[in-house]
Amino acid sequence: MSTINVPKREEVSSNNQEIFDNLEKGLGFVPNLYATYAHSDTALGNYLAFSGAKTSLSAKEKEVVNLAVSQVNNCIYCLSAHTAIGKMNGFDDAQILELRAGKASFDSKLDALAQLAKNITENRGNTDQNVLDNFFNAGYNKANLIDTISLVGDKTISNYLHSTTKVPVDFPEAQPLS
């Protein structure tokens, strides 16, 4: 059960109403988690700017990180949303389940990224040196590392927001890992 309401357009600031309108145009709806950020006059815009910022990681690589981090943080909202986005980026159901577990047997480079994202999240940034070495040996560079860490932070914010508010999931619900 939700601990906080999902605000409607008329319940948020004019700035957030404009963001809602843009989300509606771009996505066809305002996801409940994004709407929840709008309880603050600034958090939604700040979050969208941060999560939409340029990165050295591809859209597919971003989803690898999003899925691994959301699994570690046990966020059903973000797992559900990023399962849908992962499919839009070309991953199938089996690959998505693997990525959530922090691995990718189907692609050695994505495997190194998934392992890193999982390890950073589980260890709160105290990354295992072997995992880091594997990441660099897979062909990633220092810019990719910094962008991965930023993305872990970005996703953790949303994971924590949902874990605290428990707003309803408005995406097809992700299946549990076996």
Side-chain angles (χ1 to χ4, degrees):
M1 175 157 192
S2 181
T3 61
I4 192 170
N5 70 303
V6 176
K8 294 178 179 26
R9 185 184 185 283
E10 60 274 5
E11 298 173 317
V12 301
S13 69
S14 59
N15 182 51
N16 282 332
Q17 287 178 3
E18 185 177 324
I19 295 171
F20 275 31
D21 294 344
N22 289 332
L23 287 167
E24 189 77 42
K25 285 178 201 162
L27 301 175
F29 75 112
V30 177
N32 285 342
L33 198 63
Y34 285 177
T36 302
Y37 277 102
H39 279 291
S40 163
D41 288 343
T42 57
L44 179 58
N46 290 343
Y47 179 75
L48 291 174
F50 182 48
S51 68
K54 289 182 183 179
T55 177
S56 63
L57 300 174
S58 70
K60 202 166 190 168
E61 288 169 323
K62 285 177 66 172
E63 288 316 306
V64 169
V65 175
N66 289 334
L67 288 161
V69 171
S70 295
Q71 185 64 52
V72 171
N73 289 329
N74 197 30
C75 180
I76 190 60
Y77 189 98
C78 294
L79 286 169
S80 299
H82 290 288
T83 292
I85 297 167
K87 288 178 183 179
M88 290 188 291
N89 278 283
F91 293 119
D92 65 30
D93 289 329
Q95 291 171 330
I96 288 170
L97 290 173
E98 257 195 81
L99 293 170
R100 287 174 49 192
K103 55 189 174 190
S105 65
F106 55 91
D107 184 304
S108 60
K109 190 169 183 182
L110 294 180
D111 186 55
L113 177 61
Q115 287 181 40
L116 179 69
K118 179 181 181 188
N119 191 268
I120 289 170
T121 308
E122 286 177 335
N123 296 309
R124 298 180 181 195
N126 294 305
T127 309
D128 180 275
Q129 188 62 48
N130 291 331
V131 173
L132 192 56
D133 291 344
N134 185 44
F135 175 79
F136 289 128
N137 290 335
Y140 287 105
N141 59 38
K142 293 173 188 174
N144 302 138
L145 173 64
I146 302 307
D147 287 341
T148 299
I149 294 166
S150 293
L151 191 55
V152 168
D154 161 6
K155 193 46 44 201
T156 299
I157 292 166
S158 284
N159 294 165
Y160 286 10
L161 182 67
H162 185 260
S163 293
T164 299
T165 64
K166 298 179 181 22
V167 296
V169 177
D170 49 357
F171 290 89
E173 197 160 315
Q175 63 184 15
L177 288 183
S178 331

